[in-house]
Amino acid sequence: KQFPGPILVIHGSRDRLIPWAEGRRLAEASAHSTFKLYDCGHGCWHPDRLPFWQDAEPVLANAGVLSNAPAGSGQHTSYAPR
């Protein structure tokens, strides 16, 4: 609750190990979080097959971690160290 930075919580809607409601609850614990529910199970997502970078880039860009790549561009190889 006290972490000031942005948080991206991604969860699978068919996760049999950890119900997706737990991911939502985790995201709701911070005012700076984004919750994304993917159509998959536990650990089934792959960054290149699901909209991971589309969802992650705006969070990383807003945090000042991602540089030289417009949000949603798919150019996720340029990072600026903090």
Side-chain angles (χ1 to χ4, degrees):
K1 290 183 179 184
Q2 297 178 12
F3 180 70
I7 299 169
L8 175 60
V9 178
I10 297 174
H11 212 104
S13 62
R14 293 180 278 129
D15 190 332
R16 296 171 135 186
L17 185 62
I18 302 169
W20 67 266
E22 294 298 321
R24 162 111 33 217
R25 190 175 356 250
L26 177 64
E28 289 173 349
S30 172
H32 308 287
S33 67
T34 300
F35 178 74
K36 296 292 180 175
L37 188 63
Y38 290 172
D39 183 25
C40 65
H42 186 81
C44 73
W45 63 277
H46 188 281
D48 294 330
R49 286 188 237 136
L50 292 173
F52 173 81
W53 286 113
Q54 175 183 327
D55 295 334
E57 281 183 7
V59 174
L60 294 171
N62 289 337
V65 175
L66 189 67
S67 65
N68 301 325
S73 70
Q75 299 173 355
H76 52 270
T77 57
S78 179
Y79 296 94
R82 295 193 103 191

